Amino acid sequence: MPQAGEFQIIEKFFTYQTFGAWKSQGVGDDCAIIDTGAGRLAVTCDMMAMGTHFLPDADPENVGYKALAVNLSDLAAAGAIPRAFFLSIGLPRRDDGWLADFSRGLMGLARESGCALLGGDTTRTPEVNGRHAPVTISITAMGDLPAGMGLTRAGAKPGDEIWVSGTVGDAYAALKCRWGEWTVMPDLEPALFARMDRPTPRVALGQAIIGAASACADISDGLLADLGHILERSGVSAEIDWERLPISTALKSMTIPRQHEAALTGGDDYELIFTAPVSARDRIYEAALRTGTPVTCIGRVVPRTSRAVTVRAGDGMLVELTKVGFDHFDHEEG
Amino acid sequence: MPQAGEFQIIEKFFTYQTFGAWKSQGVGDDCAIIDTGAGRLAVTCDMMAMGTHFLPDADPENVGYKALAVNLSDLAAAGAIPRAFFLSIGLPRRDDGWLADFSRGLMGLARESGCALLGGDTTRTPEVNGRHAPVTISITAMGDLPAGMGLTRAGAKPGDEIWVSGTVGDAYAALKCRWGEWTVMPDLEPALFARMDRPTPRVALGQAIIGAASACADISDGLLADLGHILERSGVSAEIDWERLPISTALKSMTIPRQHEAALTGGDDYELIFTAPVSARDRIYEAALRTGTPVTCIGRVVPRTSRAVTVRAGDGMLVELTKVGFDHFDHEEG
């Protein structure tokens, strides 16, 4: 739900003693996990703005798809079954062509995932210097969880293995290529760009590893940043073997420093990263096979040390990284 | 949830054949009423933007209060018990003073109404001409409903009486006074302005009239517009007696045309407008007394005619009005 650097705002201004009849866990998690008395729900909420989260010339069908996909990914990280979502959309003006394409992308994924649009609000975006601000989209998505179940970022234990789904770093590499900063062979470009424009929320996998995984997050801020959230909430550290990281053919075709940057710090992949005891290994593979989702064991949880994550290359040397994750308000005073 | 004029956008682009495991009623209503299998929920979602819904110099504590209040009002219109809400907030920059005041207003009402903040997202607002757009707030609020119960806009029947809570037109008159277009005596000003800045969601009344009222909406677009939604959904028409409308002392001090304009077409009051059979009259008064909420019978539901609402003055003459309700996208081509 929140991206890494917004934590200070949420902690400082919107954290308070709990009250009310509904009991929630998972504050600071991908989803709130709520016991309503009648049942257990997972709820998540994401806001996207043109210019901040997607480019003004982005295909509106992809924008619609991705707006829901990132929320489904949060539900996946909790192991929830997506059921319903609510859409608030701020528009600078009514643009029927844009809306039709946006709606097609959004509703296509909604139908595919059984997550129904049950309400919403549309409004005119505010004016700045005589011009209306670009499109702003906020989605709240809700899912079902079995009573007493649900994955959170807390629960990783020393000795657990660390897993990721799919491949990592592709969305970041795609953005770099689209910006013209990096290049990739033309025949690899469409698949790479699709990873940024139409990420696959790992909804079936999330449900399948409930009860087997000890902690889970989706990779929205970057592998190290999101693993970092798990480690912090669980009070542990981790060792990652760089050689085991699942890297796509497109990213493999780039230099090692670029691979490091994309796979370890690049966000927007919407893969799941999760921990599980060694004894659950067969259940993890079985869940992967059953849901048709590739999973890879990339390291292990260790007792807490001064370093949250250690990444070792094949030669045993440490991989050093400066930039970790992404924060909209990173460079501002608190 | 949606304001009057956004209906075309929602109907055209976001209406589709239902699917999924959760069954919903109340599309186009103040809330979605959802049967999750485990229980019945009411969910609503509202987006507010500085410059569109509140003035840039508005007291952030009032902005926080009102952002939640309008959602609680939607839950009230469904008769739901508020339980939880989710906040997405887009900010041009981190402004700790603004955030602290906003949070105090928001969380004060949250605590008072037992509606807990269980998650959210913060992001940077998009840039326009090199400047970030002003604050955008989206809240999704959720409440509990008894199984099989809940108020919607459908269900008003010829012969039913039409009721409103509190007084109507004050928020609109306050806005006109703040803009300097209308004036009010200085000693009446604070109470009038409070009606715009800190509206009272009629949460207890909404719950108390479940089972007695036949249809209900909150007055966000204006009395005639919101009554119009009930009439349209119910397939009926209405007659309103102008003389019976509950008008505050402040609004009574203004000219009759201004009273008409404010009370009949002005939005933002967040009072409830509801219909009930004559046989439920005692239960309505009992609910009003128990919850300490003034209610007034202002007219009756009649069989559908070519005119949705007829408003009669004391002399039996029709009150004619041009402007009805409010639509963010009213003046644009479809």
Side-chain angles (χ1 to χ4, degrees), chain B residues 199-222:
Chain B
T200 304
R202 300 301 192 178
V203 173
L205 180 68
Q207 293 162 40
I209 60 175
I210 276 199
S214 52
C216 186
D218 73 334
I219 301 181
S220 51
D221 299 335

Side-chain angles (χ1 to χ4, degrees), chain B residues 23 70 72 105 107 145 162 183-184 225 246 251 281 291 298 310:
Chain B
K23 299 304 165 205
V70 302
L72 295 181
M107 295 310 304
L145 279 169
I162 301 168
T183 52
V184 68
L251 185 53
R281 200 184 285 166
T291 63
I298 61 167
T310 305

Side-chain angles (χ1 to χ4, degrees), chain A residues 13 16 103 117 124 332, chain B residues 13 16 103 117 124 129 332:
Chain A
F13 300 106
Y16 55 90
S103 174
L117 175 61
R124 180 74 75 104
E332 293 184 47
Chain B
F13 300 105
Y16 55 91
S103 174
L117 174 61
R124 180 74 75 102
N129 296 338
E332 294 183 45

